PDB file of all heavy atoms in Angstrom:
ATOM      1  N   GLY A  23     -14.179  -7.242  -7.781  1.00 86.00           N
ATOM      2  CA  GLY A  23     -14.744  -8.296  -8.616  1.00 86.00           C
ATOM      3  C   GLY A  23     -16.146  -8.651  -8.200  1.00 86.00           C
ATOM      4  O   GLY A  23     -16.725  -8.049  -7.300  1.00 86.00           O
ATOM      5  N   GLY A  24     -16.671  -9.630  -8.844  1.00 81.00           N
ATOM      6  CA  GLY A  24     -17.997 -10.116  -8.507  1.00 81.00           C
ATOM      7  C   GLY A  24     -17.932 -11.011  -7.277  1.00 81.00           C
ATOM      8  O   GLY A  24     -16.885 -11.539  -6.919  1.00 81.00           O
ATOM      9  N   TRP A  25     -19.058 -11.164  -6.648  1.00 79.00           N
ATOM     10  CA  TRP A  25     -19.179 -12.090  -5.520  1.00 79.00           C
ATOM     11  C   TRP A  25     -20.641 -12.462  -5.424  1.00 79.00           C
ATOM     12  O   TRP A  25     -21.445 -11.741  -4.849  1.00 79.00           O
ATOM     13  CB  TRP A  25     -18.678 -11.459  -4.225  1.00 79.00           C
ATOM     14  CG  TRP A  25     -18.560 -12.462  -3.126  1.00 79.00           C
ATOM     15  CD1 TRP A  25     -17.747 -13.550  -3.102  1.00 79.00           C
ATOM     16  CD2 TRP A  25     -19.295 -12.478  -1.905  1.00 79.00           C
ATOM     17  NE1 TRP A  25     -17.920 -14.237  -1.942  1.00 79.00           N
ATOM     18  CE2 TRP A  25     -18.864 -13.598  -1.184  1.00 79.00           C
ATOM     19  CE3 TRP A  25     -20.274 -11.661  -1.351  1.00 79.00           C
ATOM     20  CZ2 TRP A  25     -19.377 -13.930   0.063  1.00 79.00           C
ATOM     21  CZ3 TRP A  25     -20.773 -11.991  -0.117  1.00 79.00           C
ATOM     22  CH2 TRP A  25     -20.324 -13.114   0.584  1.00 79.00           C
ATOM     23  N   ALA A  26     -20.970 -13.615  -6.001  1.00 76.00           N
ATOM     24  CA  ALA A  26     -22.381 -13.933  -6.166  1.00 76.00           C
ATOM     25  C   ALA A  26     -22.842 -15.197  -5.459  1.00 76.00           C
ATOM     26  O   ALA A  26     -24.024 -15.408  -5.303  1.00 76.00           O
ATOM     27  CB  ALA A  26     -22.690 -14.081  -7.665  1.00 76.00           C
ATOM     28  N   GLN A  27     -21.923 -16.046  -5.026  1.00 77.00           N
ATOM     29  CA  GLN A  27     -22.348 -17.356  -4.550  1.00 77.00           C
ATOM     30  C   GLN A  27     -21.888 -17.650  -3.130  1.00 77.00           C
ATOM     31  O   GLN A  27     -21.655 -18.803  -2.767  1.00 77.00           O
ATOM     32  CB  GLN A  27     -21.834 -18.426  -5.497  1.00 77.00           C
ATOM     33  CG  GLN A  27     -22.365 -18.259  -6.909  1.00 77.00           C
ATOM     34  CD  GLN A  27     -21.644 -19.150  -7.893  1.00 77.00           C
ATOM     35  OE1 GLN A  27     -20.951 -20.075  -7.525  1.00 77.00           O
ATOM     36  NE2 GLN A  27     -21.811 -18.858  -9.166  1.00 77.00           N
ATOM     37  N   GLY A  28     -21.722 -16.621  -2.322  1.00 77.00           N
ATOM     38  CA  GLY A  28     -21.344 -16.823  -0.927  1.00 77.00           C
ATOM     39  C   GLY A  28     -20.087 -17.650  -0.780  1.00 77.00           C
ATOM     40  O   GLY A  28     -19.072 -17.382  -1.407  1.00 77.00           O
ATOM     41  N   ASP A  31     -18.390 -18.951  -4.037  1.00 81.00           N
ATOM     42  CA  ASP A  31     -18.027 -18.036  -5.105  1.00 81.00           C
ATOM     43  C   ASP A  31     -16.621 -18.307  -5.623  1.00 81.00           C
ATOM     44  O   ASP A  31     -15.711 -18.614  -4.855  1.00 81.00           O
ATOM     45  CB  ASP A  31     -18.125 -16.585  -4.628  1.00 81.00           C
ATOM     46  CG  ASP A  31     -18.046 -15.641  -5.797  1.00 81.00           C
ATOM     47  OD1 ASP A  31     -19.036 -15.527  -6.539  1.00 81.00           O
ATOM     48  OD2 ASP A  31     -16.965 -15.035  -5.991  1.00 81.00           O
ATOM     49  N   VAL A  58     -17.254  -4.803  -4.654  1.00 89.00           N
ATOM     50  CA  VAL A  58     -18.001  -5.930  -5.212  1.00 89.00           C
ATOM     51  C   VAL A  58     -18.903  -5.401  -6.322  1.00 89.00           C
ATOM     52  O   VAL A  58     -19.716  -4.504  -6.091  1.00 89.00           O
ATOM     53  CB  VAL A  58     -18.849  -6.641  -4.127  1.00 89.00           C
ATOM     54  CG1 VAL A  58     -19.724  -7.709  -4.755  1.00 89.00           C
ATOM     55  CG2 VAL A  58     -17.946  -7.238  -3.064  1.00 89.00           C
ATOM     56  N   ASN A  59     -18.748  -5.958  -7.507  1.00 84.00           N
ATOM     57  CA  ASN A  59     -19.590  -5.584  -8.629  1.00 84.00           C
ATOM     58  C   ASN A  59     -20.977  -6.193  -8.415  1.00 84.00           C
ATOM     59  O   ASN A  59     -21.121  -7.418  -8.406  1.00 84.00           O
ATOM     60  CB  ASN A  59     -18.976  -6.093  -9.930  1.00 84.00           C
ATOM     61  CG  ASN A  59     -19.712  -5.619 -11.153  1.00 84.00           C
ATOM     62  OD1 ASN A  59     -20.876  -5.242 -11.084  1.00 84.00           O
ATOM     63  ND2 ASN A  59     -19.041  -5.643 -12.276  1.00 84.00           N
ATOM     64  N   PRO A  60     -22.018  -5.368  -8.252  1.00 81.00           N
ATOM     65  CA  PRO A  60     -23.351  -5.885  -7.937  1.00 81.00           C
ATOM     66  C   PRO A  60     -24.068  -6.553  -9.107  1.00 81.00           C
ATOM     67  O   PRO A  60     -25.136  -7.129  -8.931  1.00 81.00           O
ATOM     68  CB  PRO A  60     -24.108  -4.634  -7.494  1.00 81.00           C
ATOM     69  CG  PRO A  60     -23.453  -3.527  -8.245  1.00 81.00           C
ATOM     70  CD  PRO A  60     -22.000  -3.908  -8.334  1.00 81.00           C
ATOM     71  N   VAL A  61     -23.487  -6.521 -10.285  1.00 80.00           N
ATOM     72  CA  VAL A  61     -24.119  -7.114 -11.457  1.00 80.00           C
ATOM     73  C   VAL A  61     -24.389  -8.599 -11.236  1.00 80.00           C
ATOM     74  O   VAL A  61     -25.384  -9.137 -11.689  1.00 80.00           O
ATOM     75  CB  VAL A  61     -23.225  -6.890 -12.702  1.00 80.00           C
ATOM     76  CG1 VAL A  61     -23.563  -7.836 -13.837  1.00 80.00           C
ATOM     77  CG2 VAL A  61     -23.335  -5.452 -13.161  1.00 80.00           C
ATOM     78  N   TYR A  62     -23.496  -9.262 -10.498  1.00 76.00           N
ATOM     79  CA  TYR A  62     -23.611 -10.708 -10.330  1.00 76.00           C
ATOM     80  C   TYR A  62     -24.603 -11.113  -9.249  1.00 76.00           C
ATOM     81  O   TYR A  62     -24.997 -12.269  -9.173  1.00 76.00           O
ATOM     82  CB  TYR A  62     -22.232 -11.296 -10.007  1.00 76.00           C
ATOM     83  CG  TYR A  62     -21.240 -10.990 -11.096  1.00 76.00           C
ATOM     84  CD1 TYR A  62     -20.318  -9.961 -10.950  1.00 76.00           C
ATOM     85  CD2 TYR A  62     -21.246 -11.709 -12.284  1.00 76.00           C
ATOM     86  CE1 TYR A  62     -19.420  -9.664 -11.956  1.00 76.00           C
ATOM     87  CE2 TYR A  62     -20.348 -11.415 -13.296  1.00 76.00           C
ATOM     88  CZ  TYR A  62     -19.441 -10.389 -13.125  1.00 76.00           C
ATOM     89  OH  TYR A  62     -18.564 -10.094 -14.124  1.00 76.00           O
ATOM     90  N   ASN A  63     -24.964 -10.200  -8.376  1.00 77.00           N
ATOM     91  CA  ASN A  63     -25.874 -10.521  -7.287  1.00 77.00           C
ATOM     92  C   ASN A  63     -26.653  -9.266  -6.882  1.00 77.00           C
ATOM     93  O   ASN A  63     -26.456  -8.739  -5.787  1.00 77.00           O
ATOM     94  CB  ASN A  63     -25.086 -11.080  -6.100  1.00 77.00           C
ATOM     95  CG  ASN A  63     -25.924 -11.983  -5.239  1.00 77.00           C
ATOM     96  OD1 ASN A  63     -27.123 -12.097  -5.424  1.00 77.00           O
ATOM     97  ND2 ASN A  63     -25.298 -12.609  -4.272  1.00 77.00           N
ATOM     98  N   PRO A  64     -27.517  -8.764  -7.760  1.00 79.00           N
ATOM     99  CA  PRO A  64     -28.220  -7.510  -7.483  1.00 79.00           C
ATOM    100  C   PRO A  64     -29.060  -7.588  -6.211  1.00 79.00           C
ATOM    101  O   PRO A  64     -29.667  -8.608  -5.915  1.00 79.00           O
ATOM    102  CB  PRO A  64     -29.112  -7.298  -8.711  1.00 79.00           C
ATOM    103  CG  PRO A  64     -28.912  -8.448  -9.607  1.00 79.00           C
ATOM    104  CD  PRO A  64     -27.921  -9.380  -8.997  1.00 79.00           C
ATOM    105  N   GLY A  65     -29.027  -6.510  -5.466  1.00 79.00           N
ATOM    106  CA  GLY A  65     -29.855  -6.410  -4.273  1.00 79.00           C
ATOM    107  C   GLY A  65     -29.263  -7.044  -3.029  1.00 79.00           C
ATOM    108  O   GLY A  65     -29.833  -6.934  -1.945  1.00 79.00           O
ATOM    109  N   VAL A  66     -28.131  -7.704  -3.148  1.00 79.00           N
ATOM    110  CA  VAL A  66     -27.508  -8.341  -1.991  1.00 79.00           C
ATOM    111  C   VAL A  66     -26.489  -7.384  -1.378  1.00 79.00           C
ATOM    112  O   VAL A  66     -25.722  -6.738  -2.076  1.00 79.00           O
ATOM    113  CB  VAL A  66     -26.827  -9.666  -2.392  1.00 79.00           C
ATOM    114  CG1 VAL A  66     -25.976 -10.221  -1.268  1.00 79.00           C
ATOM    115  CG2 VAL A  66     -27.881 -10.670  -2.809  1.00 79.00           C
ATOM    116  N   ASN A  67     -26.491  -7.283  -0.061  1.00 84.00           N
ATOM    117  CA  ASN A  67     -25.538  -6.450   0.660  1.00 84.00           C
ATOM    118  C   ASN A  67     -24.350  -7.338   1.043  1.00 84.00           C
ATOM    119  O   ASN A  67     -24.461  -8.153   1.959  1.00 84.00           O
ATOM    120  CB  ASN A  67     -26.212  -5.864   1.901  1.00 84.00           C
ATOM    121  CG  ASN A  67     -25.297  -4.974   2.688  1.00 84.00           C
ATOM    122  OD1 ASN A  67     -24.098  -5.216   2.802  1.00 84.00           O
ATOM    123  ND2 ASN A  67     -25.875  -3.936   3.268  1.00 84.00           N
ATOM    124  N   PRO A  68     -23.189  -7.189   0.362  1.00 86.00           N
ATOM    125  CA  PRO A  68     -22.061  -8.070   0.645  1.00 86.00           C
ATOM    126  C   PRO A  68     -21.582  -7.964   2.095  1.00 86.00           C
ATOM    127  O   PRO A  68     -21.204  -8.972   2.693  1.00 86.00           O
ATOM    128  CB  PRO A  68     -20.967  -7.619  -0.318  1.00 86.00           C
ATOM    129  CG  PRO A  68     -21.568  -6.621  -1.207  1.00 86.00           C
ATOM    130  CD  PRO A  68     -22.915  -6.258  -0.706  1.00 86.00           C
ATOM    131  N   PHE A  69     -21.608  -6.773   2.668  1.00 87.00           N
ATOM    132  CA  PHE A  69     -21.184  -6.598   4.059  1.00 87.00           C
ATOM    133  C   PHE A  69     -22.041  -7.457   4.988  1.00 87.00           C
ATOM    134  O   PHE A  69     -21.517  -8.221   5.808  1.00 87.00           O
ATOM    135  CB  PHE A  69     -21.268  -5.122   4.464  1.00 87.00           C
ATOM    136  CG  PHE A  69     -21.045  -4.901   5.932  1.00 87.00           C
ATOM    137  CD1 PHE A  69     -19.763  -4.888   6.454  1.00 87.00           C
ATOM    138  CD2 PHE A  69     -22.115  -4.718   6.785  1.00 87.00           C
ATOM    139  CE1 PHE A  69     -19.553  -4.696   7.816  1.00 87.00           C
ATOM    140  CE2 PHE A  69     -21.926  -4.519   8.144  1.00 87.00           C
ATOM    141  CZ  PHE A  69     -20.630  -4.513   8.657  1.00 87.00           C
ATOM    142  N   LEU A  71     -23.950 -10.040   4.249  1.00 87.00           N
ATOM    143  CA  LEU A  71     -23.800 -11.462   3.955  1.00 87.00           C
ATOM    144  C   LEU A  71     -22.495 -12.002   4.542  1.00 87.00           C
ATOM    145  O   LEU A  71     -22.470 -13.059   5.172  1.00 87.00           O
ATOM    146  CB  LEU A  71     -23.863 -11.712   2.452  1.00 87.00           C
ATOM    147  CG  LEU A  71     -23.873 -13.162   2.003  1.00 87.00           C
ATOM    148  CD1 LEU A  71     -24.950 -13.978   2.708  1.00 87.00           C
ATOM    149  CD2 LEU A  71     -24.066 -13.243   0.508  1.00 87.00           C
ATOM    150  N   ASN A  88     -18.001   1.890  -3.171  1.00 65.00           N
ATOM    151  CA  ASN A  88     -19.016   1.991  -4.212  1.00 65.00           C
ATOM    152  C   ASN A  88     -20.006   0.826  -4.209  1.00 65.00           C
ATOM    153  O   ASN A  88     -19.676  -0.276  -4.598  1.00 65.00           O
ATOM    154  CB  ASN A  88     -18.312   2.068  -5.571  1.00 65.00           C
ATOM    155  CG  ASN A  88     -19.267   2.408  -6.694  1.00 65.00           C
ATOM    156  OD1 ASN A  88     -20.473   2.261  -6.567  1.00 65.00           O
ATOM    157  ND2 ASN A  88     -18.724   2.876  -7.782  1.00 65.00           N
ATOM    158  N   SER A  89     -21.202   1.087  -3.797  1.00 62.00           N
ATOM    159  CA  SER A  89     -22.207   0.028  -3.741  1.00 62.00           C
ATOM    160  C   SER A  89     -22.814  -0.286  -5.105  1.00 62.00           C
ATOM    161  O   SER A  89     -23.564  -1.235  -5.239  1.00 62.00           O
ATOM    162  CB  SER A  89     -23.318   0.423  -2.759  1.00 62.00           C
ATOM    163  OG  SER A  89     -23.929   1.612  -3.192  1.00 62.00           O
ATOM    164  N   GLY A  90     -22.464   0.487  -6.115  1.00 70.00           N
ATOM    165  CA  GLY A  90     -22.982   0.236  -7.453  1.00 70.00           C
ATOM    166  C   GLY A  90     -21.877  -0.210  -8.382  1.00 70.00           C
ATOM    167  O   GLY A  90     -20.761  -0.495  -7.961  1.00 70.00           O
ATOM    168  N   THR A  91     -22.199  -0.273  -9.646  1.00 77.00           N
ATOM    169  CA  THR A  91     -21.162  -0.633 -10.611  1.00 77.00           C
ATOM    170  C   THR A  91     -20.168   0.518 -10.699  1.00 77.00           C
ATOM    171  O   THR A  91     -20.539   1.681 -10.561  1.00 77.00           O
ATOM    172  CB  THR A  91     -21.761  -0.925 -11.997  1.00 77.00           C
ATOM    173  OG1 THR A  91     -22.502   0.208 -12.422  1.00 77.00           O
ATOM    174  CG2 THR A  91     -22.645  -2.151 -11.960  1.00 77.00           C
TER     175      THR A  91
END
Side-chain angles (χ1 to χ4, degrees):
W25 190 62
Q27 299 169 15
D31 192 75
V58 174
N59 186 339
V61 161
Y62 301 101
N63 206 352
V66 170
N67 181 324
F69 171 80
L71 186 52
N88 190 341
S89 60
T91 56

